Amino acid sequence: QVRLVESGGGLVQAGGSLRLSCAASGSIFSINTMGWYRQPPGKQRELVAYVTSGGTPRYADFVKGRFTISRDNAENTVYLQMNSLKPEDTAVYYCNAAHLGNYYWGQGTQVTVSS
């Protein structure tokens, strides 16, 4: 099994930055796509960004130009650098990874942006 553990969430003021990390562990052969989702209070979970095994990143429109996703395949870790944070970015952020046809989720990390 693959376990995902997120870290780096916290409380920041609008305009600030946070860097989220997600480390995969367990019986890993090769992780395919890794991504970040978020769930704002009272809303559906939504895709923030993902990056393929080849390193191609894609972003939701609402974060493009502010967030950067990257990965370290040797460490089985994906990162999300979040700049120019807005109060509407407040959400629980979840890591997702595809591995051998299965999908895994982390426990989530809270990001709160104050105005």
Side-chain angles (χ1 to χ4, degrees):
Q1 297 292 332
V2 175
R3 293 183 66 249
L4 303 176
V5 179
E6 301 102 331
S7 62
L11 173 64
V12 298
Q13 293 183 336
S17 298
L18 284 173
R19 183 174 174 84
L20 306 183
S21 299
C22 172
S25 63
S27 300
I28 298 173
F29 173 72
S30 181
I31 296 179
N32 195 0
T33 302
M34 301 188 78
W36 289 94
Y37 292 71
R38 71 185 188 187
Q39 187 165 17
K43 296 184 177 181
Q44 301 280 350
R45 188 174 298 185
E46 61 188 359
L47 175 69
V48 177
Y50 68 86
V51 57
T52 68
S53 60
T56 301
R58 299 299 298 272
Y59 301 93
D61 289 341
F62 53 82
V63 302
K64 188 172 294 185
R66 299 188 296 125
F67 293 7
T68 302
I69 189 170
S70 61
R71 66 189 292 170
D72 184 339
N73 289 337
E75 298 293 331
N76 292 312
T77 301
V78 64
Y79 305 93
L80 186 68
Q81 178 67 47
M82 304 186 294
N83 299 324
S84 301
L85 284 163
K86 306 174 181 179
E88 51 263 43
D89 293 321
T90 295
V92 178
Y93 284 71
Y94 296 92
C95 178
N96 175 265
H99 180 258
L100 300 180
N102 295 313
Y103 296 87
Y104 300 87
W105 292 93
Q107 82 287 353
T109 184
Q110 177 70 47
V111 172
T112 302
V113 184
S114 63
S115 60

